[in-house]
Amino acid sequence: DVVAEVDDAGRWRFLSPAWASLTGRSVASRLDQPARDDVHPDDRDVVDRTLAALRRGEREAVSGTLRLLGAGEAVRGCEVRGRA
């Protein structure tokens, strides 16, 4: 399981070592980068809306699926659970 933290600006603040196993990308290369850049383009609007709802306090927790972009052209489907 990957454990991650995103700040109010939507940037990665923490990624567990499992991130590298899942995506083929190093943790260090992604920290402080926009999380949406690692999400498949077709899923980015949902991620943006969900993060905005969490920031506004409209939701306390979320769950769903999305596709993460990995090294090269790899795409990984993921189940995501998060909370503010």
Side-chain angles (χ1 to χ4, degrees):
D1 291 348
V2 174
V3 176
E5 183 177 319
V6 177
D7 67 13
D8 285 344
R11 295 185 177 276
W12 295 120
R13 290 296 170 217
F14 175 82
L15 291 164
S16 67
W19 170 263
S21 297
L22 176 69
T23 65
R25 295 178 172 183
S26 75
V27 169
S29 72
R30 299 313 306 146
L31 291 179
D32 298 322
Q33 300 301 311
R36 76 183 315 274
D37 290 355
D38 294 306
V39 175
H40 189 281
D42 292 343
D43 296 342
R44 289 178 183 166
D45 286 342
V46 170
V47 169
D48 291 342
R49 287 192 307 267
T50 301
L51 288 175
L54 287 166
R55 278 193 300 274
R56 290 190 302 263
E58 295 170 2
R59 300 183 71 178
E60 291 183 20
V62 296
S63 64
T65 59
L66 59 81
R67 292 164 287 178
L68 290 175
L69 302 176
E73 295 185 26
V75 176
R76 303 281 188 247
C78 299
E79 180 181 337
V80 178
R81 286 179 270 151
R83 60 187 164 92

